[in-house]
Amino acid sequence: MGHGKQIRILLLNEMEKLEKTLFRLEQGFELQFRLGPTLQGKAVTVYTNYPFPGETFNREKFRSLDWENPTEREDDSDKYCKLNLQQSGSFQYYFLQGNEKSGGGYIVVDPVLRVGSDDHVLPLDCVTLQTFLAKGLGPLDEWEDRLRVAKESGYNMIHFTPLQTLGLSRSCYSLADQLELNPDFSRPIKKYTWHDVGQVVEKLKKEWNILCITDVVYNHTAANSKWIQEHPESAYNLVNSPHLKPAWVLDRALWHFSCDVAEGKYKEKGIPALIENDQHMNCIRKIIWEDIFPKIQLWEFFQVDVHKAVEQFRRLLTQGNRRVTKSDPKQHLKIIQDPEYRRLGCTVDMNIALATFIPHDDGPAAIEECCNWFRNRIDELNSEKHQLMNYHQEQAVNCLLGNVFYERLAGHGPKLGPVTRRYPLVTRYFTFPFEEMALSAEESMIHLPNKACFFMAHNGWVMGDDPLRNFAEPGSDVYLRRELICWGDSVKLRYGNKPEDCPYLWAHMKKYTEITATYFQGVRLDNCHSTPLHVAEYMLDAARKLQPNLYVVAELFTGNEELDNIFVTRLGISSLIREAMSAYNSHEEGRLVYRYGGEPVGSFVQPCLRPLMPAIAHALFMDITHDNECPIVHRSAYDALPSTTIVSMACCASGSTRGYDELVPHQISVVSEERFYTKWNPGASPSNTGDVNFQSGIIAARCAINKLHQELGAKGFIQVYVDQVDEDIVAVTRHSPSIHQSVVAVSRTAFRNPKTSFYSKEVPQMCIPGKIEEVVLEARTIERNTKPYKKDENSINGLPNITVEIREHIQLNESKIVKQAGVATKGPNEYIQEIEFENLSPGSVIIFRVSLDPHAQVAVGILRNHLTQFSPHFKSGSLVVDNADPILKIPFASIASKLTLTELNQILYRCESEEQEDGGGCYDIPNWSSLKYAGLQGLMSVLAEIRPKNDLGHPFCENLRSGDWMIDYVSGRLISRSGNIAEVGKWFQAMFFYLKQIPRYLIPCYFDAILIGAYTTLLDAAWKQMSSFVQNGSTFVKHLSLGSVQMCGVGKFPSLPLLSPSLLDVPYRLNEITKEKQQCCASLAAGLPHFSSGLFRCWGRDTFIALKGLLLVTGRYLEARNIILAFAGTLRHGLIPNLLGEGTYARYNCRDAVWWWLQCIQDYCKMVPNGVDILKCPVSRMYPTDDSAPLPAGTLDQPLFEVIQEAMQRHMQGIQFRERNAGPQIDRNMKDEGFNMTAGVDDKTGFIYGGNRLNCGTWMDKMGESDRARNRGIPATPRDGSAVEIVGLCKSAVRWLLELSKKNIFPYHEVRVKRHGKVVTVSYEEWNRKIQDNFEKLFHVSEDPSDSNEKHPNLVHKRGIYKDSYGASSPWCDYQLRPNFTIAMVVAPELFTTEKAWRALEIAERKLLGPLGMKTLDPDDMVYCGIYDNALDNDNYNVARGFNYHQGPEWLWPVGYFLRAKLYFSKLMGPECSAKTMFLVKNVLSRHYVHLERSPWKGLPELTNENGQYCPFSCETQAWSIAVILETLYDL
């Protein structure tokens, strides 16, 4: 659960560009970058511009981060580099792979806001903001009286529109001088300065606990700004943006047309000055098309002068220098735009013209003909431009008429009245600071730079435009197509790409930003979506240098969250403004509350160390913004209170605009409003229009709601639930997950005016779980008797006749809104209060404070107290009591420390069939599925899926909330097992005693907390009992090593034959039925779920392939010893059984298990301290002779070394026998000959050989089962002769015994056999040499076609590989490429020449390596099929009934040997090979890590289908798959 520090992990993946993903973090967090699976093993460097501690931020300055590897191990699963985040803003990171950029993104760190004389923190979710239009504040010395309204109303942040000098239009956002304070704030006798404003702001912060922010406007300046006349290069003018000339000509033509309409000159043509209907509109369209467009001929700006071009072409033709080659035959003649945009100033490339139009001779007629072709082509190109212009003109007329309709005809528009010069037909797009002249005279000025530089483009906005594109730059036709909704009072600013492109403008705006950041704690980015990103970045960097915790808010109109994220991440926006006015009904308003903040009630506790998840931007949720329409007009005055309550209950910042609370019944215009805001005056009467107090509008209720919003944010009420009670009533719950108190606000909205619309008197009952402590607030919107509203001339006044009746902090029985409250119980410990309302009229709200019922509150406190042993998170709200169950007084870690690993197997794992042996089963979740394990891992796998997503609707959570079945299952299953396991069960039972007493909606999160605490403690207890390799290993190693706990266990019936009673340290237990002492040695399951219980649990081959990884590498030496000796006791015919069947039902039908067993004994002797002692351990022989009946343990004991010698001797003598009970009773598919077993040693080569064409004695043991495909009884892969891995294992054993015999540890130097009646001896030395001398000669497929050792050169189809077998009955099989030779490479590397081994490994990598496993057959082979389907029965011999089990599907365990072989030989090949191999190994292993983490079984599968696809017929977790990966990590 982590301890304290919040750490987030960002996984880096190849080519993952996350610029559009928002990652939000807080100061004090640690961010760790870790390598995702695609990057593990690669040389990756992470760069960031997050500065070193103490350094200032420089966006362009990146530094690389150092990798830390806590385990200092070779695998990359835990490697990370980190940032300790102590600074707010937006920071970029990217990473290189070698020198290639491979991905990156941004992180946004929230600011920490401080307020008050003690500088206490104001959390972002506590912000309650009010917007003031600065010009409504009056002279600076009157500000306090007007701002006091915000203080008294409970706001803690004020947003001022810009305080600078305004332009001619008096719009709040059209600034004449960005550096100068608005002179309106001064008096004739007293001039105020920025310093004076700063003092007001400081007083508000220190004394009133109010922070101040203001706007920054980067996009435009007032058209009358003095500095823009001095620096016209700062605007888009016709000199620096000549592409705007055609749009300017159109703009002037429309202005002249508008003036003519105003003067009545078009009355005769059907257009009066007052435009009133569609007929007038149609006349406008007609005149523009018939008079204006033909007159101004805009297409000429894009066309070529035909006469001039033809003459130039003719000149070039007649000059004779026609030896012009077309640079590119695909190039066609096209118009080259004149960069100066002169009429008919465009050109064409004459080289292309000369190469396209070639006269057939030099005569004048031919040249004339050629010129005509050229002229025709130019005419065609000009005509195309004319058509394009027509298309633009159509759009221009449509936009223009749309605008006229809105401004003069539309019901919701401003209805401007007659066309005048002040209110022209259309807004002008460009400034024109000269005397008006005829249009043609005006046009001549556009080519005079000293005049044209003053024709500047206005700013505005474009509906549906891409906000990342600048609509005034070349390539955009917005001005020409009249698509701009234009602000005629402002000039759009032209920054270019960097400060050097327009030095004055950048410096001017930087200074403006610095003034703002000096005096204000935050900024609102006005018109953010069309401010160039690089400009805003630069300015905010300057602001943060002065105000490091700058609060940045913005409103974005992109309509697209991904686009929003680009702005939020690049600029480090702290809160995005969201508005409730966008909601069309109360249901939508409630949805917004849920969307913008908080987590669901009853959410899971997230660990402190967890993945960094993409976020949505933090919201500043406003009931109304200053450019919204007035809600009183759109909804009703009665809705102000309920809607503001709903908004305030959101778990984010909230806000409003001055005027809303006083119920001002119109929009307060940012352009035309010139009156001042009212002042605070406690004694004023409601009819007083210049003053307000708690009697005005909803101010009294607003104050209570704001205080509540701040309390909920500060006290951690982070969980939110929104309930739509009926179409008008919304109930919002805020819940504290530590003290489990809730605040429930019930609001009855009034989107429709209650005076004119019907609202039902019947209000539905509400059920509130828990105990209502108090009514925090009840408020109703009511009418009062005053004079009706009249718009005041000097003050912005509100409706005097509507106010709120409020009561705060009262008991439920005092409420006037609640009729009665009954108490119902739901289940034994859950109280529900049923509320019946009587006066919840439209426009009312009631807010309850609710606690758990006292009994449940105590239970939660006790639970939290006991959970503090796992995480400090539970300290708050915890309760210490003395009378708890005694078992809870013991720390859980000390209960866990007493458990053995086999006991942990029962607590954590056990699949369905293992559990069924004990008479139980895995827990089944209705409407879903049963858990994978009966133990805790079964639950944890599901919780790990649900927890990060907080998926409380999952059937698992549903089951927990519905009853105690799962809870009782967890404790009951363990208690029934007695001993230490039962103690764990009792601890759970004691914890669950309290869990059952809390409300059902909280059970999933506390159940999870109890489980995760216990589970992590149990895992630690498991690792403490393992080897130092595991204890000091990476997370990957640790999680893999749990495979040892998963696979190694003791069932109700022991699977292993009994060991010799004289052996020490054998585990015993009491038989529950006979009450006698019995051995209980742990055995290894081959795989879950198919090979886990009964006769099918233990297999000789699987056990010994897995034993080194699962038991020796993990340090479980005693279990390893017992398994080795138990199997030794079953030796018969010189073989170790394939299926163990407790020894009595053993089948001796495999040739390789004995060699894997010998390999394990060798590994045991080398890895275990004093390991060779095992050779002297007594082995209780079950079958001292091949034909003896099974003997009881202890009847005949032999030291292990004798059993080893017998196995060697029997092979040298030659083994031949027929399986006992041969026939369908032991194998329903095998043909008769298949039951005949043979094995032996080839005299000449020393190779082990054996088998026949009808049996399969190696691990590739699929027997045909289909009658339909006629493959029943035919092995798919007999691998008779000498299988390559068995030869390798035998060589390893012989070499090892030779070494031991030389040291006299093993008493035999030779094997003695009878040949032709005589005793013959073969020394280990000789046997070892024979294999060494013949292996590569006979197994390697030479690159040389004339190699004399090759018996079947015609069968060779791949050179440089090692054969899969030698001497198979079907010689083709010898030459098949399979992964088995890599096993021989690992156990007997001395058999291989380094270069040849390396070449063969490269081929195997190219042909066989899959994502998780190795293809079992070369994909080029004609019988290859990579998809295993055991259920499919068809006519296809090669696949029916899973015949291709080992003919292509990708098995996992060979990959371990392949990687280990690569590692071994790469070191011999040199450092470069070694480094490349290291990457390969880590990269392959990272895929296993991902699979292990994601698998609900927490294991690695037996096999996958081709290319790593899931195979439903595979074991979900297989012992040898986990073991070989552990061995590979051990080798690393």
Side-chain angles (χ1 to χ4, degrees), residues 25-93:
L25 293 138
E26 293 176 35
Q27 293 179 47
F29 279 27
E30 178 180 302
L31 173 63
Q32 294 185 358
F33 297 97
R34 296 196 182 199
L35 296 177
T38 49
L39 291 172
Q40 288 195 15
K42 296 187 181 175
V44 174
T45 321
V46 181
Y47 291 87
T48 177
N49 57 7
Y50 186 90
F52 275 115
E55 280 192 12
T56 51
F57 170 67
N58 173 354
R59 186 172 295 281
E60 306 308 321
K61 188 175 162 193
F62 284 81
R63 60 185 175 105
S64 63
L65 299 177
D66 297 331
W67 288 105
E68 297 180 28
N69 206 342
T71 56
E72 296 300 333
R73 285 301 166 92
E74 277 301 344
D75 79 282
D76 286 353
S77 59
D78 285 349
K79 195 164 99 169
Y80 66 86
C81 47
K82 69 174 184 201
L83 288 175
N84 277 315
L85 303 171
Q86 303 295 343
Q87 194 170 335
S88 82
S90 152
F91 305 98
Q92 195 179 354
Y93 72 90

Side-chain angles (χ1 to χ4, degrees), residues 1424-1444:
Y1424 168 87
C1425 173
I1427 292 169
Y1428 173 57
D1429 183 348
N1430 200 30
L1432 175 76
D1433 196 3
N1434 60 11
D1435 304 334
N1436 185 337
Y1437 178 87
N1438 291 319
V1439 299
R1441 294 304 308 276
F1443 195 65
N1444 62 319

Side-chain angles (χ1 to χ4, degrees), residues 172 244 388 395 453 560 683 788 804 839 902 924 938 1171 1189 1213 1224 1228 1481:
C172 294
L244 295 174
L388 181 65
Q395 175 68 351
C453 68
N560 171 328
V804 287
N839 283 319
T902 44
D924 182 45
Q1213 179 66 57
R1228 64 174 196 273
V1481 173

Side-chain angles (χ1 to χ4, degrees), residues 537-552:
E537 274 181 334
Y538 176 89
M539 300 301 165
L540 288 176
D541 289 351
R544 286 191 175 107
K545 278 201 175 70
L546 295 166
Q547 188 71 266
N549 281 297
L550 187 75
Y551 183 52
V552 181

Side-chain angles (χ1 to χ4, degrees), residues 1440-1466:
R1441 294 304 308 276
F1443 195 65
N1444 62 319
Y1445 199 25
H1446 305 98
Q1447 299 279 48
E1450 294 163 12
W1451 284 68
L1452 263 79
W1453 78 271
V1455 94
Y1457 284 91
F1458 165 74
L1459 295 175
R1460 291 171 67 199
K1462 278 279 296 198
L1463 281 171
Y1464 178 87
F1465 286 106
S1466 71

Side-chain angles (χ1 to χ4, degrees), residues 571-789:
L571 305 179
I573 294 174
S574 323
S575 303
L576 269 192
I577 295 170
R578 311 284 195 175
E579 44 183 48
M581 281 301 291
S582 65
Y584 41 85
N585 61 19
S586 65
H587 182 77
E588 175 63 7
E589 204 159 67
R591 192 191 68 79
L592 295 178
V593 170
Y594 191 75
R595 174 95 181 103
Y596 297 139
E599 52 183 42
V601 174
S603 285
F604 293 102
V605 176
Q606 302 297 341
C608 299
L609 174 102
R610 60 178 186 267
L612 181 60
M613 302 300 275
I616 66 165
H618 183 259
L620 168 54
F621 193 21
M622 300 192 60
D623 45 35
I624 180 176
T625 63
H626 58 289
D627 34 17
N628 275 132
E629 300 281 335
C630 170
I632 295 177
V633 176
H634 269 261
R635 296 179 183 175
S636 75
Y638 284 79
D639 190 59
L641 171 64
S643 274
T644 210
T645 306
I646 292 171
V647 169
S648 284
M649 288 298 287
C651 186
C652 58
S654 76
S656 188
T657 294
R658 182 74 206 270
Y660 181 97
D661 297 347
E662 300 103 292
L663 304 178
V664 173
H666 57 83
Q667 184 177 358
I668 302 173
S669 165
V670 294
V671 180
S672 58
E673 185 61 79
E674 291 293 340
R675 299 173 300 161
F676 292 156
Y677 288 118
T678 49
K679 296 180 177 178
W680 184 259
N681 176 356
S685 80
S687 53
N688 185 336
T689 54
D691 298 318
V692 290
N693 53 33
F694 285 129
Q695 274 71 57
S696 317
I698 63 164
I699 290 179
R702 166 72 78 179
C703 177
I705 290 164
N706 275 343
K707 284 192 179 127
L708 180 64
H709 179 85
Q710 291 161 29
E711 179 202 334
L712 297 179
K715 293 194 176 159
F717 283 70
I718 54 172
Q719 300 186 340
V720 178
Y721 173 65
V722 179
D723 181 16
Q724 186 77 33
V725 181
D726 74 4
E727 63 172 329
D728 303 306
I729 300 175
V730 179
V732 184
T733 302
R734 289 277 296 274
H735 181 82
S736 156
S738 55
I739 58 171
H740 293 295
Q741 198 180 69
S742 299
V743 169
V744 183
V746 184
S747 307
R748 189 166 192 195
T749 58
F751 277 53
R752 314 181 307 284
N753 187 344
K755 296 181 90 169
T756 55
S757 300
F758 171 74
Y759 281 88
S760 164
K761 288 266 188 295
E762 298 298 311
V763 174
Q765 263 200 354
M766 263 194 81
C767 293
I768 295 182
K771 175 169 178 275
I772 295 177
E773 300 283 349
E774 64 161 353
V775 174
V776 181
L777 167 74
E778 65 176 32
R780 295 174 60 220
T781 310
I782 53 166
E783 284 202 37
R784 64 175 161 200
N785 231 343
T786 56
K787 287 186 194 147
Y789 168 80

Side-chain angles (χ1 to χ4, degrees), residues 1327-1346:
W1327 191 356
N1328 187 48
R1329 193 175 55 250
K1330 275 184 186 171
I1331 304 175
Q1332 184 69 41
D1333 292 349
N1334 288 292
F1335 180 81
E1336 209 156 41
K1337 203 159 69 186
L1338 300 177
F1339 270 95
H1340 187 253
V1341 180
S1342 171
E1343 304 274 6
D1344 174 11
S1346 58

